[in-house]
């Protein structure tokens, strides 16, 4: 993979949270009580995960998001600063607490409930205030843990300045034609295609959005259609036991490879490798690799 000397400039618009992870022997069924063997907290949120992921891989990253005026919000801000992410456009609100996620994990599977809280306070005015940074960016990343109106506004602003836009379509919602037409790539889970596209036949979705939609599943496999044939790549490590944050890690790796001018095939391969490395450690950000892991 090509890795140029130029430092990509990336804007990430999205969520941040503190994730409480409970380890159990089994996932509880309806109305069932189970005991957790441990309870740990980690930094998370799809936006913050991608900001940290791309920063560790050498990008100059601005994160646009919203946290509460509480200790958890301050923890998130300090963590992002420590990860070399610019926090000048993270806004604090006294209307909501900082976002949280509650994760019950067992044997590599997880049930996740997200409380957006302050994340839903991010507005189009916040995006507008960062206008000059959009003009000088190389790529903009968005996800769906903030309001869809903010996502749409961000995409329109990025395209106004001719910038590449990547969307990790999670948590899944139906995407309108304007969003799908204007983004440069979409990362989607194989189990959520009907929700996102109104079509659950993977091959039909991929043929319609060739070289744009990249579908992933829990085995760290990615498939897309290049206009001629289906391309399938899989990279699952024996130690891959933690699945939190794998989609964000893939998106981060894909975005970095794209910024360095690599082919879509190389972008997918690199995204898969970044995702595989995350899966061997607990927490969405803990195992995110750094640039020197790949290029000395």
């Amino acid at each position: 993979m090509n890795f140029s000397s130029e430092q990509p400039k990336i804007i990430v618009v999205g969520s941040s949270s503190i994730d409480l992870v409970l380890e159990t022997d089994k996932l509880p069924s309806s109305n069932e009580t189970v005991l957790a063997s441990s309870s740990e907290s980690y930094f998370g949120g799809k936006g913050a995960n991608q900001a940290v992921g791309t920063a560790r891989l050498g990008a100059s990253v601005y994160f646009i998001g919203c946290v509460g005026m509480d200790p958890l919000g301050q923890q998130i801000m300090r963590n992002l600063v420590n990860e070399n992410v610019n926090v000048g456009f993270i806004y604090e609100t006294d209307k909501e607490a900082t976002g949280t996620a509650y994760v019950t994990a067992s044997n590599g599977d997880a049930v996740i409930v997200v409380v957006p809280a302050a994340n839903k306070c991010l507005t189009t005015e916040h995006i507008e205030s960062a206008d000059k940074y959009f003009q000088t960016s190389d790529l903009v990343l968005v996800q769906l843990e903030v309001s869809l109106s903010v996502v749409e506004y961000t995409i329109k602003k990025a395209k106004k300045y001719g910038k590449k836009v990547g969307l990790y379509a999670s948590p899944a919602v139906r995407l309108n034609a304007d969003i799908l037409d204007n983004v440069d790539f979409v990362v989607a889970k194989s189990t959520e295609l009907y929700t996102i596209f109104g079509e659950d036949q993977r091959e039909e979705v991929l043929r319609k959005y060739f070289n744009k939609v990249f579908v992933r599943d829990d085995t760290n496999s990615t498939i897309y259609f290049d206009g001629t044939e289906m391309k399938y790549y899989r990279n699952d490590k024996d130690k891959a036991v933690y699945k939190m944050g794998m989609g964000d890690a893939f998106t981060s790796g894909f975005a970095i490879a794209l910024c360095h001018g690599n082919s879509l095939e190389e972008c997918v391969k690199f995204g898969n490798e970044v995702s595989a490395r995350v899966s061997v450690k607990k927490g969405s950000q803990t195992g995110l690799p750094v640039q020197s892991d790949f290029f000395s």
Side-chain angles (χ1 to χ4, degrees):
M1 190 189 88
N2 177 57
F3 211 88
S4 69
S5 59
E6 295 293 324
Q7 183 182 37
K9 297 179 181 178
I10 294 177
I11 293 175
V12 181
V13 176
S15 61
S16 60
S17 68
I18 297 293
D19 298 347
L20 176 64
V21 181
L22 306 174
E23 288 288 342
T24 61
D25 290 334
K26 57 170 289 188
L27 296 180
S29 56
S30 178
N31 297 317
E32 181 183 14
T33 299
V34 299
L35 297 178
S37 58
S38 67
S39 171
E40 299 174 280
S41 62
Y42 300 92
F43 293 107
K46 297 185 185 305
N49 293 344
Q50 292 177 23
V52 172
T54 50
R56 287 191 185 181
L57 291 171
S60 173
V61 180
Y62 280 84
F63 180 58
I64 304 176
C66 190
V67 298
M69 298 180 70
D70 52 35
L72 296 184
Q74 291 302 307
Q75 289 178 36
I76 287 172
M77 297 273 275
R78 285 195 296 271
N79 177 63
L80 290 171
V81 169
N82 291 338
E83 294 286 355
N84 297 312
V85 174
N86 189 298
V87 299
F89 289 98
I90 296 181
Y91 299 90
E92 296 178 284
T93 179
D94 58 3
K95 297 179 181 179
E96 293 278 357
T98 295
T100 50
Y102 299 87
V103 183
T104 302
S106 177
N107 299 314
D109 294 320
V111 176
I112 304 172
V113 178
V114 175
V115 183
N119 292 303
K120 65 185 179 183
C121 295
L122 189 67
T123 68
T124 56
E125 286 76 15
H126 294 141
I127 307 304
E128 185 60 35
S129 67
D131 181 80
K132 67 179 182 180
Y133 293 97
F134 279 83
Q135 296 180 46
T136 59
S137 68
D138 296 305
L139 183 143
V140 178
L141 291 176
V142 290
Q143 324 77 36
L144 300 175
E145 285 182 339
V146 295
S147 74
L148 199 57
S149 62
V150 168
V151 173
E152 292 175 326
Y153 192 86
T154 300
I155 293 170
K156 289 179 180 177
K157 177 167 286 295
K159 299 320 287 186
K160 172 185 174 182
Y161 295 116
K163 307 303 179 181
K164 292 184 176 68
V165 182
L167 167 64
Y168 179 28
S170 181
V173 299
R174 183 64 182 271
L175 298 180
N176 61 44
D178 281 347
I179 289 177
L180 291 170
D181 289 344
N182 284 302
V183 295
D184 293 274
F185 68 89
V186 179
V187 178
K189 296 179 182 179
S190 60
T191 56
E192 297 179 339
L193 297 182
Y194 185 80
T195 302
I196 298 168
F197 301 100
E199 168 65 72
D200 59 3
Q201 296 300 309
R202 184 181 66 182
E203 286 72 19
E204 293 301 315
V205 172
L206 293 175
R207 289 180 185 277
K208 183 176 181 180
Y209 300 103
F210 66 92
N211 285 335
K212 176 176 282 193
V213 172
F214 301 83
V215 176
R216 290 179 45 77
D217 66 27
D218 285 344
T219 63
N220 199 28
S221 67
T222 308
I223 185 171
Y224 71 101
F225 184 62
D226 70 355
T228 302
E229 61 179 328
M230 294 290 172
K231 297 286 189 177
Y232 177 86
Y233 300 94
R234 179 172 174 171
N235 185 352
D236 55 337
K237 294 184 179 298
D238 293 337
K239 297 179 181 179
V241 294
Y242 306 108
K243 297 177 182 177
M244 284 184 62
M246 290 180 70
D248 296 320
F250 172 85
T251 304
S252 299
F254 186 102
I256 287 293
L258 189 65
C259 285
H260 286 289
N262 291 278
S263 67
L264 290 180
E265 179 178 348
E266 289 297 324
C267 292
V268 170
K269 289 180 178 179
F270 190 63
N272 273 15
E273 178 59 30
V274 174
S275 182
R277 293 183 183 228
V278 165
S279 68
V280 300
K281 293 185 178 180
K282 288 184 181 180
S284 299
Q285 297 177 20
T286 311
L288 287 167
V290 297
Q291 183 177 332
S292 59
D293 290 335
F294 303 98
F295 309 99
S296 57

